[in-house]
Amino acid sequence: MVEATGLPVEWLDMPAGLGAYHQFGVTAPPETIEAVRRHRVALKGPFATPSGGSVRSANHYLRQQLDLYACIRPIPVDASRPILLVRENVEDMYAAIEWWAAPGVAQAVKIATRHGCERIAETAFALARRQNRKKVTLVHKANNLKLTEGLFLEVAREVSGRYPEVAFDDMLADTACSTLVLDPGAFDVILTSNTFGDLLSNLGAAVAGSLGLVGSLNSGAGVHIAEAAHGDAGHLANRRQVNPLALFESVAMLLSALGEDRRGEAVSAAILAAKKDGPTTLDLGGDATTDAVTDFVCDTVTERLAEDG
């Protein structure tokens, strides 16, 4: 896909995930993290991570050690104007601070800092301004978590004052879930913490039709990692049935983050064309292969960029 845009690139393959754990004893080897830090950009596939036990996802190490505090996920419930979900990426429960308080009693800490809340709120409002969006909605549970979620709500209100042209409101997380299903048009930009963002992005993907439609960009101070929002879909491995559009959407965001707006827009336009007239994979009720969708999108990107000169 990247080559189809004409962008010159040299690929460096680095190990991560469960395979890396079996080989190196860690899901994100230090060499991999340093390579991303040095080159400042990466495109990654989905990782499998066991539930429970002691093996942490490579995503955890990459996001924490590279301080990739912002996760951007466009939810395509409306093809012409997806909901932009902006979630905080390194605090909340994702900090993974937990311990055995007593035999049979496990505890975990939810983290919220003013600095973390402010920078993710700034990200959401700045994106809203840049994309000419009208409203940012903070999704929270400050009715119950008075300190952590309350701090997020307080800071988001403060940041909203710096963007008078962008409306701001807030919604409880449980209400947001039902609203996303029944009235997705109520949202333009969703700003939220890590756990709620993870749940809402998958719920929104289901409303849109498939997890295979949602891309994801993890960003920090000049470092970006693009990935599909879905998991590893191991049961579909080597069957050429996985929908590649989520990864392509991530590529489009990555290109834009690098200042390659023309190329990013061409990829986004090709994705829309694929949804409308292109071959359809298993997740959307079709029988097209991953290769067929990839060829359609790459050809469309090449043609569009050629037409634009």
Side-chain angles (χ1 to χ4, degrees):
M1 165 53 64
V2 177
E3 287 88 347
T5 69
L7 184 71
V9 60
E10 293 183 14
W11 295 104
L12 175 65
D13 293 331
M14 299 299 294
L18 204 54
Y21 177 80
H22 293 315
Q23 185 175 359
F24 303 104
V26 63
T27 54
E31 294 81 4
T32 297
I33 293 173
E34 286 307 309
V36 179
R37 181 178 283 118
R38 182 170 65 255
H39 295 287
R40 308 186 72 78
V41 61
L43 181 63
K44 62 169 285 292
F47 298 139
T49 306
S51 296
S54 60
V55 180
R56 295 204 181 278
S57 168
N59 282 335
H60 173 85
Y61 297 112
L62 288 166
R63 292 168 182 172
Q64 292 285 356
Q65 295 188 36
L66 296 171
D67 196 23
L68 304 176
Y69 64 85
C71 180
I72 315 300
R73 294 183 174 179
I75 311 298
V77 292
D78 182 338
S80 62
R81 190 66 161 176
I83 298 168
L84 193 63
L85 189 144
V86 181
R87 74 165 181 163
E88 202 286 324
N89 219 24
V90 295
E91 295 189 343
D92 190 36
M93 303 302 290
Y94 204 76
I97 301 172
E98 53 184 356
W99 64 92
W100 289 106
V105 180
Q107 293 181 337
V109 172
K110 175 182 170 67
I111 300 295
T113 67
R114 174 169 288 275
H115 172 66
C117 293
E118 184 171 22
R119 65 181 181 176
I120 194 62
E122 279 283 356
T123 298
F125 278 95
L127 282 170
R129 172 180 283 173
R130 191 177 309 134
Q131 297 184 14
N132 195 30
R133 291 177 176 269
K134 304 303 181 185
K135 184 176 69 173
V136 171
T137 301
L138 177 71
V139 173
H140 64 87
K141 284 295 287 184
N143 60 329
N144 184 39
L145 297 167
K146 302 292 187 177
L147 300 182
T148 51
E149 292 288 284
L151 176 62
F152 202 175
L153 177 57
E154 175 188 335
V155 171
R157 285 173 174 160
E158 292 174 1
V159 173
S160 72
R162 305 170 197 163
Y163 297 83
E165 76 280 18
V166 181
F168 173 73
D169 66 2
D170 65 279
M171 188 179 296
L172 295 178
D174 45 340
T175 303
C177 288
S178 59
T179 302
L180 187 56
V181 173
L182 299 174
D183 184 21
F187 298 110
D188 194 358
V189 177
I190 293 176
L191 166 64
T192 193
S193 52
N194 187 279
T195 302
F196 296 148
D198 205 16
L199 298 173
L200 287 168
S201 67
N202 274 28
L203 180 61
V207 173
S210 170
L211 286 171
L213 298 175
V214 179
S216 183
L217 184 67
N218 304 280
S219 296
V223 180
H224 308 282
I225 297 181
E227 61 178 334
H230 58 69
D232 71 312
H235 63 292
L236 296 177
N238 300 317
R239 295 172 61 178
R240 299 187 180 277
Q241 292 178 317
V242 174
N243 190 338
L245 293 183
L247 185 61
F248 296 163
E249 182 63 48
S250 306
V251 170
M253 288 192 288
L254 181 61
L255 289 169
S256 295
L258 295 175
E260 295 288 342
D261 291 329
R262 177 170 166 268
R263 289 184 168 94
E265 290 166 2
V267 174
S268 294
I271 292 170
L272 286 176
K275 292 177 182 178
K276 181 180 179 181
D277 301 314
T280 303
T281 44
L282 177 67
D283 57 317
L284 296 174
D287 59 3
T289 64
T290 304
D291 294 339
V293 178
T294 299
D295 290 344
F296 180 93
V297 174
C298 289
D299 290 346
T300 304
V301 168
T302 301
E303 292 169 5
R304 183 178 180 88
L305 289 172
E307 290 172 358
D308 291 344

